[in-house]
Amino acid sequence: GDINVVLNQLPHKTFRREGDDLYMDVQISLGEALCGFELAVVHLDNRILCVQPVRGVVTRPGSIKAVLEEGMPIRRQTARGNLILRFDVVFPPDNSIGEWEREKLSRILPGTRPALGKRSREEQDFAETKTCVDFNEEKVGKLRTQESYDDSDGHNVRAFQSCCHQ
């Protein structure tokens, strides 16, 4: 008589277990990513952990950080796995930042490109203003694989392109 015990691990709403480590996806605002945050994590044993980044460190979208030895207990040891945090940075919605705030941010944040009005007269004379829009690579890929497609004026773009190459 052997006794076989089968355990089914149910998914948890906050954590995902991989070996001795616990994984957690965390959403933070852009302000928190830039300026820091305090994250209250209710652990599996109901302890509350106050998680903070190293002061002055920017948390980038998709970055992965670890809280050491806050994962699952390691069998027959006093050590524990790690709590692994994956960060998703939530940007503000479109048109939520006014012109005054935008100007202030461009002075504060490093690496901001100067507006065209602040460039040389020669650069301004030859510049064309274009707007970039959201891009869906999957849709564009489908368009490229079609036999032919029409532009916004109803012209067959493939036929025109083949005409140009002759």
Side-chain angles (χ1 to χ4, degrees), residues 25-118:
D25 291 327
V26 180
Q27 282 192 340
I28 58 174
S29 70
L30 178 58
E32 291 171 316
L34 295 172
C35 303
F37 57 87
E38 286 187 355
L39 176 67
V41 176
V42 180
H43 209 292
L44 294 173
D45 59 5
N46 287 324
R47 288 180 301 129
I48 298 175
L49 307 176
C50 182
V51 178
Q52 302 172 333
V54 174
R55 188 168 181 80
V57 172
V58 173
T59 304
R60 288 167 175 71
S63 64
I64 298 172
K65 311 263 185 199
V67 181
L68 302 178
E69 296 198 8
E70 286 298 342
M72 297 301 290
I74 298 174
R75 192 174 166 181
R76 296 188 185 117
Q77 295 182 24
T78 57
R80 298 174 69 96
N82 300 312
L83 173 59
I84 311 295
L85 307 171
R86 188 192 150 284
F87 288 91
D88 178 27
V89 178
V90 179
F91 284 74
D94 292 342
N95 302 311
S96 64
I97 300 174
E99 194 59 38
W100 181 82
E101 290 94 349
R102 190 180 326 275
E103 282 292 321
K104 194 164 185 138
L105 285 170
S106 70
R107 284 194 300 273
I108 294 170
L109 296 175
T112 307
R113 298 176 194 274
L116 191 57
K118 297 177 182 172

Side-chain angles (χ1 to χ4, degrees), residues 127-142:
E128 290 182 49
T129 301
K130 301 288 184 177
T131 302
C132 57
V133 295
D134 289 337
F135 178 74
N136 184 325
E137 195 168 0
E138 187 175 300
K139 284 184 181 180
V140 171
K142 286 179 184 176

